[in-house]
Amino acid sequence: MKSRSTMPLKHLALSAIVAAAGNAGATLDLSTVAIDNICVDVSQIRLKPTLEDGRMVQLAQALQFEDFELLVLAMLLAVETDPAACRLVGATQAPLAGARPTLGLLATGFHMFGSTGHLMTLLTSGAGRNSGCFIIGTEDAPLPEKSIGIAPAILDALALGTTTPPAVRLLVNTTHPMPKALVGEVKKQSEQLSARANSGIVIRGNAEAEAVAVASLVAQQVGKKAALVMPDAPAVLSAWLVASNAIPVFHAYVKPGERRVIPDLHPYSGPWLCITGRDGLVETGGAMAVNWTLPACAESERLQLWRANGMSAETALEVAHALRIGPRRIAMLAAATTASCGGLAKNVNWGDIAKTVSRDAQASLAGLAQKLDGAVDDAAFVRPKLIAERLQLLLGRCRLREGLVSTLGPAATARYHPGVRALFHGVSGTGKSLAAQWLATDLRLPIYRVDLAAVTSKWIGETEKNIGQLLSAAEEADVILLFDEADSLFSARTDVGNANDRHANSQTNYLLQRLESHEGIVILTSNARERLDGAFTRRLDAIIEFPLPDVEARRDIWRAHLPEKGLLENEINHLAAVIDLAGGHVRNLVLSAAVLSKGEAPSMPHLIAAAKTEYQKLGRQVPRELEQQ
């Protein structure tokens, strides 16, 4: 006969059921199991569980199960995992159909733990049911004849599986290279977390993928699996965390004005993590929590990461300086570019990576901004000397944005953000949007035009939420944002006369603050600078006016739009002198002339006819010189 200290719980449970039913239990060898002292046996197993029962005992103690509930847990687990136990229970409660035990069978079989009424109450409203471990069947039958089962996620956790409850998924271990400084901080935070009971860390980072990777690293450090928990996680979460030895990572990326509450995890008392962005509020319900804002990855760290991902020293140096992104995105771009270059990382150059960045569709920007495709080089962008000089200064500011204050004094360093904000203003057609695309082409960064119709909302607070989401996504991907006709969004504040004025001013205040703290590149364009709020001026790094082109500038614009061997020089001079239109209108005019010439290189008559139409479209008087032609 086995000693009681080594007797598995499931044998005790099945023996009691068989004895109560007067069945010898032919399908399992239970003849050596005595049931006289099962209550004592369960108590002893709690103190010194067998290897087989260890995880069940740990779960029962954490969830404060009574001995009866622990034995029921063993019975339910046996029915789901042992074919012989399943057949035995089915035969024992015949003629009732089904192999899962009924409440009545358990209450009578385990009568040594109390009266039938008391045990039925424990099954329907005890710790096992309240924690979500036990599931009562939905049969149309009296309560004693209803079946009882074990929650699938708990069953799988006790069987060392990978099934998770709804709205929960296990995170894979972080394997891509991480900055040494960040790894050191992870170890420090993990040690402090392990030393505190019922505490957590709120990890703040705009890049969700980076925050997830850091959370996974923390879980590895504390010896647990990381489980990402969405807001609608079920009640069985606490029990599952205990059964699977997992640490919860709450997903709390909220928008401005929103909040997320960390749920009460009782009886789970282990550590927890929460990942969130810079906006919104995370409430911990009184639990001790540490706020940890993930630092931006410095250029020297990015250089090491690109090298660790297989890039050559030259390529790593170029791309580390150009792209201000985190380790997770570096690993993704390196892998994708290497695959597109035949699998040889040493053959990858900055141009290859720039193409991957350009192709990469940012799902987080979808619906709020549209990617502008097409390169705009020096030949395609004609600009006067003064504008060219100012754009070169802006280009330099963008390239030096990260280390700009490294050699300056403390007053310059304080509150410095590496973002760049510029305003291009002037009448329509003078090349403001074209200049933004030229800037993006030179920097080899994608540029997204903000969809103002999608961003703005009549509902209070929604515009701010959309802007916050948009800027955070742009920071994560390090893309340029273009706000065309920005005066419609960044309009001047007014005196408060009603609730609408108060809301409009509040919206402008938020946009001012959020734009100032943005760490990416933002270009605003406007036809009327005076309509913008004056407070934006101080927050802008460059304000460039795009005037109407003079005769010489118009001559260059015509040359850039017409084929090299098209018109004679005196004809181009005549067009530049007579047609006083901006570059955008010249483009429309040339395209119309190409239609008139049926796709051939347009001649002077085609261009003159198209110019007359363009003037009429603009509602302007056609110049006399054109009327006579």
Side-chain angles (χ1 to χ4, degrees), residues 30 39 62 73 121 160 164 193 200 265 364 379 416 457 465 525 569:
L30 303 174
C39 295
L73 179 64
T121 301
L160 300 179
T164 60
L193 185 64
L265 293 176
S364 51
Y416 175 75
S457 173
K465 293 175 184 179
T525 71
E569 187 65 22

Side-chain angles (χ1 to χ4, degrees), residues 376-384 387 430-431 434 438 546 549 552-561 583:
V376 177
D377 56 18
D378 288 337
F381 178 41
V382 179
R383 61 234 182 249
I387 292 180
T430 49
L434 194 66
W438 171 84
F546 285 71
E552 186 171 345
R554 293 200 296 269
R555 186 182 299 115
D556 292 336
I557 291 172
W558 280 104
R559 289 196 184 106
H561 282 86

Side-chain angles (χ1 to χ4, degrees), residues 362-370 448 469-470:
Q362 288 299 311
S364 51
L365 288 165
L368 297 177
Q370 289 81 41
Y448 283 77
Q469 176 184 341
L470 178 69

Side-chain angles (χ1 to χ4, degrees), residues 210-268:
E210 307 294 350
V212 166
V214 170
S216 178
L217 273 183
V218 174
Q220 290 174 243
Q221 287 295 317
V222 298
K224 291 180 176 290
K225 295 180 285 188
L228 187 64
V229 181
M230 304 308 287
D232 52 349
V236 76
L237 173 64
S238 295
W240 177 83
L241 290 171
V242 175
S244 59
N245 191 35
I247 180 173
V249 180
F250 293 102
H251 187 281
Y253 274 83
V254 292
K255 298 178 180 179
E258 295 181 342
R259 67 175 184 171
R260 184 66 43 79
V261 179
I262 301 298
D264 181 12
L265 293 176
H266 181 77
Y268 172 82

Side-chain angles (χ1 to χ4, degrees), residues 406-576:
S406 59
T407 59
L408 303 180
T413 305
R415 299 190 305 160
Y416 175 75
H417 293 283
V420 178
R421 298 152 292 273
L423 169 65
F424 298 165
H425 70 98
V427 298
S428 177
T430 49
K432 303 182 293 296
S433 299
L434 194 66
Q437 284 191 262
W438 171 84
L439 189 76
T441 300
D442 207 294
L443 293 171
R444 295 187 180 181
L445 293 177
I447 182 169
Y448 283 77
R449 177 189 280 126
V450 178
D451 185 346
L452 295 181
V455 167
T456 55
S457 173
K458 65 179 180 179
W459 304 110
I460 294 178
E462 283 301 311
T463 299
E464 292 91 323
K465 293 175 184 179
N466 292 336
I467 290 291
Q469 176 184 341
L470 178 69
L471 293 176
S472 295
E475 280 182 356
E476 176 183 356
D478 197 24
V479 302
I480 300 174
L481 286 181
L482 171 63
F483 286 85
D484 253 341
E485 310 297 338
D487 46 280
S488 63
L489 186 62
F490 301 93
S491 56
R493 286 166 288 189
T494 61
D495 293 333
V496 177
N498 52 46
N500 290 333
D501 293 337
R502 187 179 300 108
H503 166 56
N505 289 348
S506 175
Q507 175 179 298
T508 302
N509 291 337
Y510 171 78
L511 294 176
L512 283 167
Q513 297 167 6
R514 187 64 183 86
L515 193 64
E516 186 173 27
S517 64
H518 180 63
E519 298 191 352
I521 301 173
V522 174
I523 306 296
L524 312 177
T525 71
S526 174
N527 295 341
R529 173 184 172 181
E530 65 277 3
R531 289 206 293 264
L532 289 169
D533 192 282
F536 276 108
T537 303
R538 179 182 63 80
R539 291 170 167 83
L540 296 172
D541 302 298
I543 299 178
I544 302 177
E545 181 179 5
F546 285 71
L548 286 169
D550 56 19
V551 173
E552 186 171 345
R554 293 200 296 269
R555 186 182 299 115
D556 292 336
I557 291 172
W558 280 104
R559 289 196 184 106
H561 282 86
L562 293 172
E564 188 174 344
K565 295 182 179 180
L567 301 184
L568 299 174
E569 187 65 22
N570 65 329
E571 292 177 316
I572 292 179
N573 291 337
H574 176 71
L575 293 173

Side-chain angles (χ1 to χ4, degrees), residues 1-8 12 29-37 41:
M1 178 181 296
K2 294 183 179 180
S3 66
R4 296 199 180 268
S5 61
T6 60
M7 187 68 64
L12 293 176
D29 181 14
L30 303 174
S31 58
T32 59
V33 180
I35 64 170
D36 297 338
N37 297 310
D41 295 339

Side-chain angles (χ1 to χ4, degrees), residues 262-291:
I262 301 298
D264 181 12
L265 293 176
H266 181 77
Y268 172 82
S269 59
W272 53 266
L273 303 172
C274 174
I275 57 171
T276 185
R278 70 171 66 187
D279 293 316
L281 175 67
V282 175
E283 295 184 358
T284 61
M288 182 181 294
V290 172
N291 271 282

